[in-house]
Amino acid sequence: MARITTEAGLERVFRGKRVLLTGHTGFKGGWMALWLRRLGAEVTGIALPPPTDPSFCKAVRLEELVDSRIGDIRSEQDFARAVGGQDFDVVIHMAAQALVRASYTAPVDTYLTNVVGTAVVLEQARRMPSLKACVVVTSDKCYENREWVWGYRENDPMGGKDFYSSSKGCTELVAAAYRSAHFSRDDGPQMAMVRAGNVIGGGDWAADRIVPDLVRSVETGEPTRIRSPRSVRPWQHVLEPVRGYLTVAANMIENGAPYAGGWNFGPDRHGTVDVGTLADMIVARWEGGPRYVVEPRAGDPHEARILRLDITKAEVDLGWQPLLDIGETVGMTVDWYRNYHGNPDGIRAFSEAQLGRYAALWERAG
């Protein structure tokens, strides 16, 4: 069949599909759930309660849109209870411990969630008779970071000097083993491992991330402390990789094994800027809003200073490319938080409108 490269194609594939989404109470998982509902999928979400208050999940009242269940992927028994013996067409695994600094204070929990938890989810997935596609979401930090100026490709080695990055590399190895053992038959379900850069957008209130920290500066009136303003990251709006994940899943369902395996989703080189540049752009967009000071502290845990992704495979083999430049990404992000502060009860409608405008941009670009 023809390659799927439009939202209309996604809707044709996902409408009526039963989708199990782990991590729907998180920032990126919440946007994924919102888009799946727009496509007409029947979504069951399994996750721990929202990790922050406020949260995207609560802000858009996601429990009204999906079958939302509380379950812990670190426990085979608890996760199986939450699944409840249901069968699904698609599994999208996004539940994770997603913070580098938190991994230093809770390394064992980071490995339990990201590594053991992935095995727990895939063990359930492989037993689903109707399963057609499984997407495992990891991170750009799964690659062994050599501080190269060029981007990492899908066939570069996994690794990591900090617990978070190491856990993501381990996650990839677990997923690769399950893919080889249970998801590699041409006539069976297919698996993809998808990796994205630093994601920003409305609805993220996680600790120790630049955008949520600047949002808190608006709320508290206190300037945000920035530790490493010269650290370079591939920034992208949350809808960019979510579109990539959905496109991979749809193509695995329709076209099978050629779309399985690893995929990178990141910005073009103009979206790869340092933390200080991003902060300045947010401050400029949000006039009278956030403030920051540069204040590195001795003893801060190690974080990579430069990280880029090579997205050539996604561009050539999937027909995916970023739609937003860094200015548009910052604009959409700041607009979301400003609308949330001005009209929190209307933020679901605003989020759906942002998603609709983004989808329309995709159609025009296609």
Side-chain angles (χ1 to χ4, degrees), residues 48-357:
L48 296 176
T52 61
D53 188 14
S55 69
F56 182 82
C57 178
K58 291 181 179 178
V60 302
R61 306 185 305 283
L62 201 58
E63 72 280 356
E64 299 174 4
L65 302 177
V66 306
D67 177 8
S68 181
R69 305 180 180 193
I70 299 302
D72 190 342
I73 64 172
R74 295 170 296 185
S75 164
E76 287 188 83
Q77 294 73 25
D78 195 64
F79 186 70
R81 173 199 57 76
V83 173
Q86 281 192 281
D87 188 20
F88 293 91
D89 301 297
V90 182
V91 171
I92 302 176
H93 175 42
M94 301 184 76
Q97 195 298 92
L99 300 172
V100 174
R101 289 173 67 82
S103 74
Y104 280 96
T105 58
V108 173
D109 185 69
T110 297
Y111 286 111
L112 285 173
T113 302
N114 294 349
V115 186
V116 175
T118 296
V120 167
V121 171
L122 296 182
E123 188 63 18
Q124 282 287 315
R126 76 178 184 89
R127 301 176 188 277
M128 296 175 184
S130 300
L131 188 69
K132 300 174 180 64
C134 181
V135 177
V136 178
V137 178
T138 65
S139 167
D140 58 347
K141 296 175 183 63
C142 67
Y143 294 109
E144 180 183 347
N145 193 336
R146 301 179 182 178
E147 304 282 350
W148 283 335
V149 296
W150 52 83
Y152 293 91
R153 297 173 297 178
E154 286 83 353
N155 58 357
D156 279 324
M158 302 292 112
K161 295 184 176 67
D162 59 83
F163 297 118
Y164 172 75
S165 302
S166 169
S167 77
K168 287 301 186 179
C170 292
T171 299
E172 288 278 349
L173 296 179
V174 169
Y178 267 89
R179 181 181 172 223
S180 176
H182 301 298
F183 297 90
S184 59
R185 289 175 46 184
D186 288 341
D187 61 347
Q190 301 297 318
M191 178 191 289
M193 295 83 81
V194 293
R195 307 140 190 174
N198 285 48
V199 172
I200 65 175
D204 186 7
W205 278 279
D208 296 320
R209 284 182 180 160
I210 182 61
V211 172
D213 285 350
L214 288 169
V215 171
R216 278 185 284 272
S217 166
V218 176
E219 296 166 347
T220 65
E222 296 295 323
T224 293
R225 180 178 73 91
I226 294 182
R227 301 181 303 274
S228 303
R230 299 281 75 84
S231 292
V232 174
R233 295 291 185 270
W235 309 99
Q236 58 188 322
H237 192 272
V238 60
L239 293 176
E240 300 270 50
V242 168
R243 172 171 57 96
Y245 306 165
L246 290 170
T247 304
V248 166
N251 277 287
M252 284 195 294
I253 293 169
E254 291 284 283
N255 301 306
Y259 293 91
W263 296 91
N264 288 342
F265 299 99
D268 62 25
R269 63 184 181 85
H270 299 292
T272 304
V273 300
D274 63 41
V275 172
T277 298
L278 182 73
D280 288 340
M281 294 180 71
I282 293 170
V283 170
R285 177 79 180 201
W286 199 335
E287 186 176 351
R291 297 180 295 129
Y292 74 87
V293 295
V294 176
E295 189 181 320
R297 292 180 184 172
D300 273 347
H302 170 269
E303 294 187 50
R305 293 192 61 82
I306 186 167
L307 185 58
R308 291 186 170 96
L309 286 177
D310 186 317
I311 59 172
T312 304
K313 181 184 175 185
E315 291 177 320
V316 173
D317 293 344
L318 195 63
W320 179 96
Q321 58 185 355
L323 299 177
L324 304 172
D325 63 31
I326 186 66
E328 293 165 327
T329 294
V330 168
M332 285 181 66
T333 301
V334 170
D335 289 351
W336 193 98
Y337 286 106
R338 293 180 69 175
N339 274 270
Y340 175 80
H341 288 155
N343 181 23
D345 292 339
I347 201 62
R348 181 204 284 179
F350 184 83
S351 301
E352 291 172 336
Q354 272 201 337
L355 176 52
R357 289 192 294 272

